[in-house]
Amino acid sequence: MRGGLCRPLRSVAMLLLLLLSPWVSPGASGAANPCCSFPCQHKGVCVQVGTEGYVCDCTRTGYFGPNCTFPEFWMRLRDALKPSPAFYHFLLTHFQWFWSIVNNTFVRDTLMRLVLTVRANMIPSPPTYNSAYGYISWEAYANVSYFTRVLPPVPDDCPTPMGTKGPAELPDVHLVAERFLLRRTFRPDPQGSNLMFAFFAQHFTHQFFKTSGKMGHGFTRALGHGVDLGNVYGDNLERQHELRLFRDGKLKFQVVDGEMYPPTVLEAPVHMIYPKHIPPEKQLAVGQEVFGLLPGLMMYATLWLREHNRVCDVLKGEHPTWGDEQLFQTARLILIGETIKIVIEDYVQHLSGYYLQLKFDPELLFGVQFQYRNRIAVEFNQLYHWHPLMPDSFLIQDEDYSYQQFVYNTTLLTDYGVEALVEAFSKQRAGQVGGGQNINPNLLKVAIGVIEESRLLRLQPFNEYRKRFGMRPYTSFRELTGDEEKAAELEELYGDIDALEFYPGLLVEKSQPNGIFGESMVEIGAPFSLKGLFGNPICSPEYWKPSTFGGATGFEMVNTATLQKLVCRNVKRCPYVAFRVPRDGEEAAAPASSGQGEKEPSAEL
């Protein structure tokens, strides 16, 4: 049908276009590079021809014409029927009674498969660009030391930093941050996200967001480019070996007040980043060198340490002939599976706000074309700086800690214990990310660094990313923010909505109704996230089977993992634990403890 109808229509239209205009389009007058105006739409690739002309490569975009703006027949039909992101977000976050029915039928699997394929297909695989090459190259594919990129850099010979729109010099980065990102008054997330969620986001993403300062911007030290638990086991073999006990597959640990904690750097001599005034005997050693910064990060490191060693005990009981190496490697695969399960069904489920119950089931994709390889993009790294989540202080058992008291406080974890921190962080609300003006002053310098990096990497304007991920570009700052005063200030600095930078655009965009993020954060972030999670090797047909995880018991651990089980299997008393603050009556419903070190969860877990 497609070959019989679409191709003749396209041929006639292309013939008319050729008669009406030259195929090589002239560039904008006075522009050194005509591609600076981003003329190619719908994922078309701009190639400069001569000094003032360009060609748009529209291959397999579903569009044709000089600028890839004319849809083929089936693309026109699809565009006419396709709902807007706002529409399906509304549908997925309303009508709870309807979704309660769907979640108990085969329709759930069908919708989940659709979500995965549509989202994952938005991310190019294999990768296309990196920060050194604004065109397809073997280097962009093969050199995994680079973060990849979805959109190429703004050409370096453009009239303005954003191409052809906006001022010749971008506004002062400190001015942008102080006007639009700095918190005036703490604005809590209306979805009820808590610090357990905030610290999980940091702990989870720091295994693959590891910018290599020594090599320069655009480079990464996390060469695994995905969920490999390098934050638990280290990002290289030498670090891993320093952290391993080399007995029964376990990691090194110390016992404090009868409970397991990470070893000190005296016992596991790995590089950790601590201030000079903290003595080595108080510096805890884990896979990620920055986790000593916040007790919330070290709390998660402790939970995963305990879980690894607990899983090793279970595996040894089932496989007494296995040596240390097989126990360690199999336990690592189980923990990777548990992590992905928790991320999709607890973490992403919460932040999405969807009533559709998300599902981690790799078999959903076995019958469709899918590549089990992932590359982390610099845009994903930029997008995931969610520092508005952090509060103005940290409340633990009626004690309020300022940033100065909380940061690098190595004794909070061992003094209070894991369950006390879990309960405190589960009950304290995090901030709303969308809407701007919600970053604590102590963290503003991090946001400034993100914007500075984006300028060095010449990221394309915010609206170009909206178009790339299937959203309609904003036509005004008023439409972006929903606030007249804020819109006027943005226009004063940037001049044109098409000159707004990527990261500021994500944060100042108005949040979705009762949502933690704006539309762009969800629509751009979700494809990166789901592609990375389901693109993990353990999700492939070759890996996804019980034997990979040591048999039925290990496979069951992966398939039944939850945040609550991760905590309650590894503490003495099971506290309230969730990614949102408790609703009325929920604390009383918290399950009893299964006991630290118990091999199997109790029935109520």
Side-chain angles (χ1 to χ4, degrees), residues 24-176:
V24 176
S25 302
S29 178
N33 185 340
C35 294
C36 290
S37 62
F38 311 113
C40 305
Q41 304 301 302
H42 304 110
K43 304 182 185 178
V45 178
C46 185
V47 180
Q48 186 176 6
V49 178
T51 57
E52 296 185 354
Y54 68 90
V55 170
C56 289
D57 185 348
C58 310
T59 305
R60 286 183 292 279
T61 64
Y63 293 82
F64 61 98
N67 293 331
C68 308
T69 53
F70 295 91
E72 298 175 355
F73 175 78
W74 291 113
M75 184 59 69
R76 185 186 297 276
L77 187 62
R78 195 205 72 164
D79 289 347
L81 297 176
K82 181 182 177 182
S84 68
F87 174 80
Y88 62 69
H89 180 81
F90 176 84
L91 189 65
L92 288 164
T93 55
H94 291 76
F95 315 110
Q96 186 174 7
W97 63 270
F98 170 76
W99 293 111
S100 295
I101 297 172
V102 168
N103 289 332
N104 290 292
T105 69
F106 72 93
V107 179
R108 178 195 178 196
D109 285 359
T110 302
L111 290 176
M112 189 68 199
R113 185 182 297 109
L114 180 64
V115 167
L116 290 172
T117 52
V118 170
R119 294 292 198 189
N121 286 339
M122 289 185 174
I123 305 302
S125 184
T128 48
Y129 308 108
N130 63 25
S131 296
Y133 300 91
Y135 47 86
I136 298 290
S137 67
W138 185 256
E139 184 75 5
Y141 163 76
N143 191 342
V144 296
S145 297
Y146 278 100
F147 286 113
T148 187
R149 296 177 71 137
V150 171
L151 289 180
V154 175
D156 55 13
D157 55 351
C158 293
T160 73
M162 292 287 103
T164 59
K165 304 287 184 68
E169 289 187 13
L170 288 169
D172 179 75
V173 65
H174 294 85
L175 180 63
V176 171

Side-chain angles (χ1 to χ4, degrees), residues 176-240:
V176 171
E178 289 166 8
R179 275 202 194 181
F180 304 109
L181 306 184
L182 178 64
R183 178 175 293 158
R184 273 61 170 170
T185 302
F186 176 72
R187 191 172 69 250
D189 168 39
Q191 287 182 215
S193 299
N194 56 25
L195 295 192
M196 199 69 181
F197 172 85
F199 288 129
F200 186 92
Q202 286 181 287
H203 187 275
F204 169 69
T205 59
H206 273 66
Q207 65 189 296
F208 45 77
F209 292 154
K210 301 189 72 173
T211 301
S212 177
K214 292 181 180 180
M215 297 177 69
H217 293 281
F219 288 90
T220 177
R221 290 185 291 115
L223 303 183
H225 283 270
V227 182
D228 60 3
L229 295 199
N231 53 345
V232 176
Y233 303 107
D235 60 5
N236 60 73
L237 194 59
E238 181 182 2
R239 188 177 185 93
Q240 178 199 118

